[in-house]
């Protein structure tokens, strides 16, 4: 087979590799036609750019087929780039860092391998979406639900490997993985943790290992391809309260952050509070986008038996509720009602996925709306949050860009996630949005903040910020890369980690 | 300097290395006299054995000195073995796996580098003990406490790197570390997570990284020497209830495990319930050892505002309390009372360390009592726990050994920790206890269980159990070992990970 996009290694190696992949996986499992590749481009890069174009897409349906793909890629020195669903469009969607990479599309590996209703976990393949797991739990009538992020179409494994956040007590999704199966660059099949023992019964229950814990190596990295993972589930609560704190201005913001941090630290609030500036609630409790306003709302949730939730809410009233100018609201639901509540905010904190936030009628350029998210991480301290919000605001203002501002709070950390909307058909606008991102990385680094993940365009720049000890982290990353993947076939450039022989890619 | 214990590499290299360490760290920082080395032996191995004897002890006081030690060890190819306090005697205490290793004793690196009272974390060096941190928190009058294990003399970092367990909501101590500073085998100083960026303000608050998470590499491993770490602290609760469930027999055991698992999964109970068989409570609430009895007690705790704790306890009564034959008790305290309660069970769940469990008057051989802990991990399912308890009981009975039985429960995992007491002056008894351990590893592996940590004597045997994929985990461990530590100087044999050139050690 022949692709119109060449790798650096030259089209001849690529053609042979694709022929071998067809022989191993079947003709329908390999795509090379330009029209077929279109949906796998970085959807938010400048439309005319081919910098992040793949040469082909291969679609394994099993771990064995992933092993075959990896062995073929090694033989022909063809770079691969893996995605699970590839739906996080602000971070490149399914597109590769290295032009001409062969995409390993795991959407066909979409089996839920196990649901243990007693121990409350599932084992899923990378193609399993939030929608799929929720459907399976509802269908089983299981008394269990799952943590989810805002959009239901993404991969559980993909989101979690990128340190994605959800809105449940298991909202730190990376920590909610337990027991990975991973294909290494040489085709070796590794099971992490207790799974390294054949038949071990704690593989998906015990989060650690005998000896070093290797699971972290496969987060946001290019050291292996995760082909299944354990995933913790939650018992449906008797009572669930969706709560909102509404307020205006920076002074209240700092106070609300400090008060919520206290409630997170003492575990009164067990999910991830999410703040938005420029939103308000309509009479049905739906968030309404009012970008020019200075109003904030913080959304969070309480779970438990009725008297537990009432006691938790009294603690919220006694702290957040006493801040001048803060209005508290909540709506309380039967947590075991499978249909769940009517609006997105209420659903997402109970694990019921939807696609509401991508409603094109809400977006400035309709179907053509792209967005670039900037996500620096800092301490969950009111004064620091306010200073960072002001800095980010001034940087967008200085670039003449409007943006939507969000804040995700854990007990000790604040994730400042701001979003600029743009039209990727407009080259000038697109370049200006990406250039501003680069400037913001530098400005935030000067105050001790770095993004926790980034887009293809800025992976190297963000990696450059982690320069402690003469770039000790990068040197370690590269030592491991060269030891584990000497031909550099797995996702070269991911998170700024390149193989030694980058020139031949 | 000259040691009476040779390394495999020969005494000449060792002598030169020790001279260089004296030159770098000072004469008082290097110990070689046999009398001085005595306290660093494996205290529970057969007293006449020299299999795990060190050749010398070096005591750095700073990260720079650790870097110097590592560089000298590389130059002279001398194996090192690091301990923080070296107090976990059942796992070898401070002693090395490889005879003749130079011990890197980190007890002198005992500074608390930072306590952030708002974000509720400390930054500690490896020599900082549970006692030290508690003292510092009390002295500061900080409204914070720390998770602790049963004995207060151990190192926070050492315990956590070995996946130690505490009795607070942060009882999974490995997960409570956030942001490590690590000296790699080549002397490189690495900061994990956000700390890889100079001046990053989320180093000790954000648990992940940009790119792969490397912190897990330094757990129970020989890839680096951790020289400081962030450590999460807890706000002192308004109210703290120490709770006990007492019952007899296997049927109740299974039901209590299932009921407590439900309360752990829904986060009503947020600490680590610990079960003991053969204990009972006296009229003061102290555990009394009654090894021949079939009575169990499970200890756990509740924390929060008064109405939260009352609601939690009602949930405990409605579940655990309804199991036939189960007696529930609790004692409730002001969680902000720095003096704390009077007995060990009540203190340890509130972070107040002591040494009660090593009271020699309670132990069968007095000051000479050794113990060997066997700690397989399994699912937190009542039926599985009962089957495993019966199997372990039959194995000890078959070997004619008495033992004390414990069970540590998390939401999905049960740690079965049993202890045999013996007198290490008695060679025959000691050999029989260790031989039985080896048999139990094999018998438990056949049912899908492995220990989560082990003693020096069985590190290779336990590693052998993790054979999935033609020992894929070991091959990965060794690939990383050879890439990161080509001379094999760091803790050869730790967790069954040996360098390529083992023969020259």
């Amino acid at each position: 087979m022949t692709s119109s996009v060449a790798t650096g290694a030259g089209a001849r190696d690529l053609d042979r590799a694709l022929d071998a992949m067809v022989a191993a996986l079947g003709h329908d499992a390999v795509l090379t036609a330009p029209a077929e590749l279109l949906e796998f481009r970085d959807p938010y890069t400048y439309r005319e750019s081919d910098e992040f174009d793949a040469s082909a897409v291969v679609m394994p349906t099993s771990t064995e087929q992933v092993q075959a793909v990896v062995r073929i890629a090694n033989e022909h020195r063809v770079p691969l780039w893996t995605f699970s669903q590839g739906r996080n469009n602000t971070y490149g969607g399914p597109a590769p860092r290295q032009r001409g990479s062969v995409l390993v599309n795991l959407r066909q590996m979409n089996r839920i391998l196990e649901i243990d209703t007693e121990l409350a976990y599932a084992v899923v393949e990378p193609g399993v979406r939030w929608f799929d797991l929720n459907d399976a739990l509802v269908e089983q009538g299981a008394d269990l639900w799952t943590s989810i992020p805002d959009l239901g179409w993404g991969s559980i494994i993909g989101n979690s490997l990128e340190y994605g956040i959800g809105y449940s007590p298991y909202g730190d999704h990376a920590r909610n993985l337990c027991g990975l199966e991973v294909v290494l660059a040489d085709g070796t099949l590794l099971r992490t943790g207790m799974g390294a023992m054949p038949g071990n019964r704690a593989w998906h229950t015990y989060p650690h290992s005998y000896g070093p814990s290797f699971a972290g190596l496969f987060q946001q990295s290019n050291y292996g391809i995760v082909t299944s993972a354990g995933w913790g589930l939650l018992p449906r609560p008797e009572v669930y309260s969706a709560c909102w704190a509404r307020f205006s201005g920076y002074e209240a913001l700092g106070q609300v952050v400090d008060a919520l941090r206290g409630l997170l630290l003492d575990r009164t609030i067990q999910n991830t509070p999410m703040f938005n500036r420029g939103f308000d609630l309509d009479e049905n409790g739906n968030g309404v986008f009012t970008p020019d306003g200075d109003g904030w709302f913080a959304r969070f949730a309480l779970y438990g038996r009725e008297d537990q939730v009432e006691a938790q809410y009294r603690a919220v009233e006694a702290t957040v509720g006493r801040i001048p100018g803060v209005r508290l609201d909540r709506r309380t639901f039967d947590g075991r009602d499978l249909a769940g509540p009517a609006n997105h905010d209420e659903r997402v904190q109970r694990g019921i996925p939807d696609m509401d936030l991508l409603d094109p009628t809400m977006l400035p350029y309709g179907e053509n709306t792209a967005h670039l998210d900037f996500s620096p991480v800092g301490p969950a301290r009111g004064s620091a949050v306010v200073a960072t919000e002001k800095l980010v605001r001034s940087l967008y203002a200085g670039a003449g860009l409007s943006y939507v501002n969000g804040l995700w709070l854990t007990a000790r950390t604040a994730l400042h996630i701001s979003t600029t909307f743009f039209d990727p058909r407009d080259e000038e606008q697109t370049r200006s949005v990406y250039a501003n991102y680069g400037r913001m990385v530098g400005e935030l680094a000067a105050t001790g903040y770095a993004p926790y993940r980034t887009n293809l365009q800025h992976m190297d720049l963000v990696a450059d910020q982690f320069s402690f000890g003469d770039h000790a982290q990068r040197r370690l990353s590269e030592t491991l890369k060269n030891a584990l993947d000497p031909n550099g076939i797995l996702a070269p450039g991911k998170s700024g980690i390149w193989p030694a022989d980058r020139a031949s890619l």
Side-chain angles (χ1 to χ4, degrees), chain A:
Chain A
M1 289 184 89
T2 306
S3 170
S4 57
V5 179
T7 66
R12 194 167 150 220
D13 285 333
L14 177 62
D15 292 350
R16 288 181 181 178
L18 295 176
D19 287 343
M21 289 180 192
V22 166
L25 276 65
H27 200 277
D28 291 348
V30 184
L31 310 177
T32 54
E36 290 172 319
L37 298 184
L38 268 183
E39 81 167 275
F40 301 104
R41 303 189 67 208
D42 179 345
Y44 295 169
T45 203
Y46 173 55
R47 285 281 159 86
E48 301 301 316
S49 166
D50 66 357
E51 187 180 357
F52 306 112
D53 280 7
S55 59
V57 179
V58 57
M59 294 177 286
T61 56
S62 68
T63 297
E64 294 72 22
Q65 289 193 348
V66 173
Q67 291 176 286
V69 167
V70 162
R71 292 190 183 113
I72 292 165
N74 264 304
E75 191 182 340
H76 299 282
R77 307 273 172 119
V78 167
L80 304 174
W81 182 271
T82 302
F83 65 87
S84 298
Q85 280 286 340
R87 302 297 186 190
N88 208 321
N89 288 334
T90 196
Y91 298 117
R97 173 67 185 83
Q98 171 69 37
R99 183 174 178 277
S101 297
V102 174
L103 294 178
V104 182
N105 171 349
L106 299 178
R107 289 181 191 164
Q108 309 297 319
M109 289 186 66
N110 58 2
R111 290 176 302 165
I112 297 172
L113 301 172
E114 184 186 352
I115 294 178
D116 188 313
T117 55
E118 274 189 3
L119 298 173
Y121 69 79
V123 184
V124 296
E125 291 187 330
V128 175
R129 305 167 308 153
W130 309 106
F131 282 129
D132 303 323
L133 182 57
N134 182 60
D135 286 351
L137 293 171
V138 169
E139 196 174 305
Q140 283 212 353
D143 192 27
L144 295 168
W145 60 289
T146 177
S147 187
I148 60 170
D150 275 309
L151 294 171
W153 65 350
S155 155
I156 296 169
I157 288 180
N159 171 281
S160 305
L161 290 180
E162 296 292 324
Y163 307 117
I165 299 285
Y167 303 106
S168 79
Y170 297 163
D172 186 344
H173 287 171
R175 289 210 158 178
N176 197 36
L177 297 176
C178 184
L180 307 181
E181 188 166 81
V182 188
V183 174
L184 300 182
D186 66 357
T188 292
L189 188 61
L190 177 79
R191 289 181 173 174
T192 67
M194 287 287 143
M197 176 198 238
N200 189 288
R201 294 172 67 190
W203 184 19
H204 301 300
T205 74
Y206 183 65
H208 306 300
S209 303
Y210 172 72
S213 285
F214 294 126
L217 287 182
F218 306 104
Q219 296 282 144
Q220 217 179 73
S221 88
N222 51 15
Y223 298 143
I225 297 177
V226 176
T227 54
S228 77
W231 173 257
L233 301 170
L234 298 127
R236 291 188 199 277
E238 185 179 295
V239 168
Y240 152 57
S241 280
C243 307
W244 295 265
R246 277 192 280 182
F247 55 92
S248 273
Y250 283 124
E251 188 179 346
L253 173 64
Q255 292 175 303
V256 171
V257 165
D258 286 333
L260 286 177
R261 184 191 65 240
L263 296 169
L264 288 161
L265 279 170
D266 74 12
R267 300 168 312 287
T268 294
I269 296 176
Q270 298 178 6
N271 84 333
T272 314
M274 194 272 276
F275 294 55
N276 267 300
R277 185 174 62 78
F279 274 83
D280 215 328
L281 298 181
D282 70 13
E283 67 272 18
N284 299 317
N286 292 296
V288 176
F289 185 36
T290 49
D292 297 328
D294 204 27
W296 289 80
F297 81 93
R299 145 191 117 186
F300 56 95
L302 307 172
Y303 311 92
R305 289 167 183 75
E306 187 177 1
D307 56 349
Q308 291 177 306
V309 169
E310 292 311 303
Q312 290 160 6
Y313 195 67
R314 281 193 292 275
V316 172
E317 289 179 313
T319 52
V320 182
R322 292 211 183 143
I323 298 168
V326 170
R327 173 179 159 181
L328 276 183
D329 290 289
R330 68 163 168 165
R331 299 220 292 197
T332 295
F333 302 92
D334 178 346
R336 293 167 183 171
D337 173 8
L338 296 189
N343 82 41
H344 172 78
D345 281 342
E346 293 158 354
R347 282 195 299 267
V348 77
Q349 297 180 106
R350 256 281 282 104
I352 302 168
D354 64 44
M355 291 297 291
D356 289 11
L357 296 202
L358 278 197
D359 178 355
T361 63
M362 302 282 288
L363 299 172
Y365 306 100
E367 299 276 2
N368 288 303
T369 305
H371 61 95
L372 189 64
D373 290 12
F374 177 59
S375 48
V377 174
R381 210 190 301 269
S383 57
V385 165
V386 168
T388 299
E389 292 297 317
K390 286 180 177 172
L391 174 60
V392 168
R393 182 184 281 206
S394 74
L395 293 170
Y396 278 110
L401 296 171
S402 66
Y403 72 112
V404 177
N405 203 7
L407 183 71
W408 278 249
L409 203 67
T410 68
R412 296 183 179 81
T413 302
L415 272 66
H416 298 257
I417 307 186
S418 54
T419 301
T420 330
F421 292 110
F422 62 100
D423 183 342
R425 296 168 304 177
D426 180 337
E427 178 174 358
E428 190 183 343
Q429 187 193 32
T430 303
R431 288 199 194 288
S432 129
V433 166
Y434 278 98
N436 181 57
Y437 185 103
R439 273 193 302 273
M440 292 198 297
V441 168
E443 294 284 346
L444 270 288
T447 69
Y449 283 62
Y452 82 103
R453 74 205 281 198
T454 193
N455 47 69
L456 300 172
Q457 289 79 359
H458 292 97
M459 284 182 177
D460 291 341
L461 177 70
V462 173
D464 288 344
Q465 310 308 309
F466 292 90
S467 62
F468 176 80
D470 190 22
H471 289 275
Q473 177 171 282
R474 171 176 290 163
R475 288 183 288 125
L476 175 60
S477 299
E478 291 177 349
T479 299
L480 299 183
K481 183 65 178 168
N482 294 328
L484 295 172
D485 182 14
N487 296 326
I489 58 149
L490 290 186
K494 171 78 180 170
S495 302
I497 303 172
W498 291 96
D501 190 11
R502 180 174 175 178
S504 79
L505 290 173

